[in-house]
């Protein structure tokens, strides 16, 4: 029953070819392309950590369903704390690219550390701590994507960023199955290695781009 109050001087028009061109231009831009790969790596690395936690805990530590449920509750609290408390503190001291780098490195190191703390509660503590940095990494990666995108491509860039996360999460069951076929114990070291290698590549490319 409500009508649009804003008076449009010219009617808005849209076409599939125009929208696709915006998406292609956004993805091809040298300032944003490495960010899409970084966001995809985050989605795969962190998605594996969360989606395969139950299977990993049941098979490796014979954990109970109630204990696993407690973990997800703790993880949700840690995620909220990371975004609401820790992230603003880091951003007062570091730039957004530096905050992204720090969060990725810590998250990767925590997940790799599961190799050396071989217990269910050790896994729970390490992954819960990693969720703090996961929240920071995601929010700042999307923020940097917005900053680096051209004004006319803002909507396309943010939409493509969300699609990149969705694409990474779609890949998670298949990647996890391949790892599980080889050895499920390498699930978390793989996640940590993927995150560290992706942020290392991003830092090298991004710093070179800014110098250029």
């Amino acid at each position: 029953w409500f009508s649009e109050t804003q008076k449009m001087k010219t009617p808005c028009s849209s076409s599939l070819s125009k929208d696709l061109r915006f998406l292609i231009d956004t993805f091809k831009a040298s300032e944003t392309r490495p960010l899409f790969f970084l966001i995809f790596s985050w989605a795969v690395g962190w998605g594996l950590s969360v989606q395969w936690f139950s299977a990993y805990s049941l098979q490796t530590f014979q954990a109970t369903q109630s204990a696993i449920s407690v973990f997800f509750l703790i993880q949700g609290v840690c995620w909220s704390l990371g975004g609401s408390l820790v992230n603003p503190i880091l951003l007062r001291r570091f730039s957004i690219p530096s905050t992204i780098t720090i969060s990725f490195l810590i998250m990767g190191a925590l997940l790799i550390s599961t190799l050396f703390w071989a217990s269910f509660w050790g896994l729970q503590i390490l992954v819960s701590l990693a969720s703090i940095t996961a929240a920071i990494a995601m929010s700042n990666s999307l923020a940097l994507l917005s900053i680096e995108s051209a004004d006319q491509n803002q909507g396309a860039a943010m939409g493509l960023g969300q699609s990149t996360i969705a694409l990474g999460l779609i890949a998670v069951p298949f990647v996890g199955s391949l790892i599980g076929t080889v050895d499920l114990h390498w699930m978390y070291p793989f996640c940590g290695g993927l995150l560290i290698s992706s942020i290392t590549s991003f830092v090298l490319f991004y710093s070179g781009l800014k110098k250029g």
Side-chain angles (χ1 to χ4, degrees), residues 61-160:
F61 304 114
Q62 292 74 51
T64 63
Q65 290 289 349
S66 58
I68 293 173
S69 299
V70 169
F71 157 76
F72 283 114
L73 176 61
I74 295 173
Q75 184 202 45
V77 172
C78 290
W79 177 280
S80 299
L81 291 175
S84 61
L85 295 180
V86 182
N87 191 40
I89 294 173
L90 288 176
L91 289 176
R92 283 197 292 268
R93 291 167 172 79
F94 304 101
S95 64
I96 291 179
S98 297
T99 302
I100 294 172
T101 303
I102 293 169
S103 58
F104 265 83
L105 290 176
I106 294 176
M107 178 169 47
L110 286 169
L111 296 178
I112 292 175
S113 298
T114 58
L115 272 175
F116 312 104
W117 198 349
S119 69
F120 173 69
W121 292 107
L123 175 69
Q124 188 169 14
I125 291 172
L126 290 172
V127 178
S128 294
L129 291 175
S131 70
I132 297 175
T133 54
I136 297 170
M138 184 198 72
S139 59
N140 285 285
S141 295
L142 293 175
L144 187 59
L145 177 62
S146 176
I147 292 170
E148 295 290 357
S149 300
D151 292 343
Q152 67 272 19
N153 287 349
Q154 280 287 317
M158 300 311 295
L160 193 55

Side-chain angles (χ1 to χ4, degrees), residues 154-178:
Q154 280 287 317
M158 300 311 295
L160 193 55
Q162 296 294 335
S163 298
T164 302
I165 293 176
L167 184 62
L169 294 177
I170 290 172
V172 163
F174 302 100
V175 177
S177 297
L178 291 175

